[in-house]
Amino acid sequence: MPGLTKGLSGRLLLLTVIFIMVAEVLIFPPSVANMRLSWLNDRLNTAAAAGAVIDGLQAELPRSVQDDTLSAIGAKLIALRKDGTSRLLAATEMPPSVDQQFDLSHVSQLGAVRDAFSTLLFGGDRMMRVFGVVGETDTIIELVMPDKHLRKAMLAYAGNVFLLSIVLSMITSFLIFVSINRIMIRPIRRITRGIQDFSEQPDNPSRIFTPDNGPDELSVAGRHLADMQTQLHRTLKQQKNLADLGLAVSKINHDMRNILSSAQLMSDRLVDVNDPMVRSFAPKLLRTIDRAVGYTNEVLTYGQATEAAPRRRPLRLSTTLQEVRDILAIGPQSGIEFVSQLQSELVVDADAEQLFRIIHNICRNAVEALLNMEWDESMPPRTLIVSGQRNGNSVSITIDDNGPGMPLKARENLFSAFRGSARSGGTGLGLVIARELVLAHGGTIALVEKPEPGTRFRIEISDRAVTTETGMKTA
């Protein structure tokens, strides 16, 4: 039994047997009470038939005939009451004393159950008087008989009911067990095996659970499990690819840093060249190489920490915006009109290098979208607008273009690496980096819906809290 009850199916079978037996126990009391009444009514009917014959003879029966009649009925006395008079039809030589008497003409269900259990538990050697009305007449037939035959019949009936209950409970339990095992237990076991198989090798697509297409709850749960495992498999695969990519980038980046360092040393000599054009481009080239060297150092330490904490200071947004414009080479020759709409002398409290990367990444995406769109002379000029204004203790920067806009897939996976790219072959890392740097400043970045074509991003960067002499912090 302990082994049987360990599994869900075994417990279900055992509970089904128990519940059916409980139902049979509840049915047994009224059933055995009805059996007792039927047994007594049969004896009264038999006595009534014999009494009608004897009453018609109008003579006393011989002793032998009385004994045969009493033996056939199992009684000690048979009496008939008719028209207000009583007549003794048959009796033993010594009329017995009576322990109990029952009127079968007026029996309640509760009383019948009580009398039945009294006979089963305490009967066997008691004498009882039973009487009832014969048919639709006013004639009453009366019997005095021992209850041992009744109790014996009731015990036999109870034994038959018990055996029948056992057989029915086993058959019913088996049918219910087979049905529920097929409908519930087997699908649950299949889902459990699917979970175990997938947990052993989550990177193996063949271990993903194959659900049923049924409308029931377990089929729906199986489909959700398959979707969850598929998504998890993709995530794990992506994480593995990212880990492999990170290792490859670190190796490449190590050598790239050495190359950039050499380029940095050679670029320093350009400052000494007398050519005016070289002199004008040399500082920008040096700053660009410095940024590249800084990026390579950050890539090598990315596995140990996130982006460095911003080194914030007040800086002019127009200066950063001009650097972005020069790096992206946005001018008349590019076919893109660059519009700067900044408040006069707008100052931002931010890390200069990180703010450059934020604006540069978003503007670069906008420039690529504008250059890749189909354009003709009948269309408005391709335009990139950067606006900025101060609102209290925060600065709002808006980068807006009139390009084709971001596709639905890119919108759904916005700021997700390798999934949020708006162009084929893109990685989506630009927006991921921009968002991380904005959040490091305690700011927000969001894609803003607009009625006309194009893409609009809004960046909000708040000023730092300044500690006063009293130790209070103010924004």
Side-chain angles (χ1 to χ4, degrees), residues 142-181:
E142 180 179 337
L143 298 176
V144 176
M145 62 176 63
D147 65 354
K148 63 179 180 179
H149 299 296
L150 174 60
R151 184 171 183 269
K152 183 179 180 181
M154 292 175 66
L155 289 175
Y157 176 81
N160 292 333
V161 169
F162 177 75
L163 292 177
L164 183 61
S165 300
I166 292 293
V167 173
L168 289 178
S169 64
M170 295 303 297
I171 294 175
T172 306
S173 301
F174 176 75
L175 294 177
I176 294 177
F177 170 76
V178 171
S179 301
I180 296 183
N181 187 68

Side-chain angles (χ1 to χ4, degrees), residues 272-410:
D272 300 330
V273 178
N274 294 325
D275 190 315
M277 182 173 293
V278 173
R279 285 179 174 273
S280 64
F281 281 108
K284 298 177 182 179
L285 179 60
L286 289 174
R287 285 197 300 271
T288 302
I289 294 177
D290 288 340
R291 286 194 180 101
V293 173
Y295 294 165
T296 57
N297 290 328
E298 291 176 0
V299 169
L300 288 177
T301 59
Y302 181 77
Q304 303 172 2
T306 58
E307 294 284 351
R311 295 183 291 273
R312 303 177 69 162
R313 61 181 178 83
L315 56 94
R316 293 184 185 277
L317 183 58
S318 59
T319 302
T320 303
L321 192 59
Q322 185 60 44
E323 291 182 12
V324 171
R325 182 175 182 177
D326 293 340
I327 292 297
L328 294 177
I330 304 175
Q333 72 281 0
S334 66
I336 298 176
E337 182 179 348
F338 186 87
V339 179
S340 175
Q341 297 178 349
L342 304 180
Q343 284 183 346
S344 178
E345 304 298 328
L346 180 60
V347 175
V348 183
D349 182 20
D351 184 300
E353 187 59 40
Q354 293 187 3
L355 182 62
F356 170 84
R357 293 173 64 186
I358 294 170
I359 299 176
H360 175 264
N361 284 333
I362 299 176
C363 289
R364 183 184 59 191
N365 289 344
V367 169
E368 290 176 351
L370 290 170
L371 293 177
N372 293 328
M373 69 179 292
E374 295 183 2
W375 182 82
D376 55 51
E377 297 295 335
S378 62
M379 299 171 61
R382 291 176 285 195
T383 306
L384 174 60
I385 302 174
V386 180
S387 58
Q389 60 182 1
R390 174 167 288 280
N391 299 313
N393 64 338
S394 65
V395 173
S396 176
I397 304 172
T398 303
I399 302 174
D400 192 359
D401 67 72
N402 62 346
M406 298 188 70
L408 179 60
K409 181 179 180 181

Side-chain angles (χ1 to χ4, degrees), residues 438-463:
V438 170
L439 293 178
H441 283 76
T444 60
I445 179 172
L447 177 67
V448 182
E449 298 291 340
K450 64 177 188 174
E452 63 272 10
T455 304
R456 178 183 297 165
F457 280 95
R458 179 170 292 127
I459 303 166
E460 300 280 346
I461 298 179
S462 300
D463 297 339

Side-chain angles (χ1 to χ4, degrees), residues 43 48 99 182 219 255 268 372-373 386 390:
R43 298 302 180 275
D99 299 314
R182 181 177 181 84
S219 298
D255 295 333
D268 290 338
N372 293 328
M373 69 179 292
V386 180
R390 174 167 288 280

Side-chain angles (χ1 to χ4, degrees), residues 223-240:
R223 289 194 288 272
H224 284 300
L225 174 63
D227 293 340
M228 181 185 68
Q229 290 181 347
T230 301
Q231 184 64 33
L232 180 58
H233 170 72
R234 291 175 180 172
T235 303
L236 291 175
K237 184 178 180 181
Q238 185 181 80
Q239 294 296 326
K240 184 178 182 299

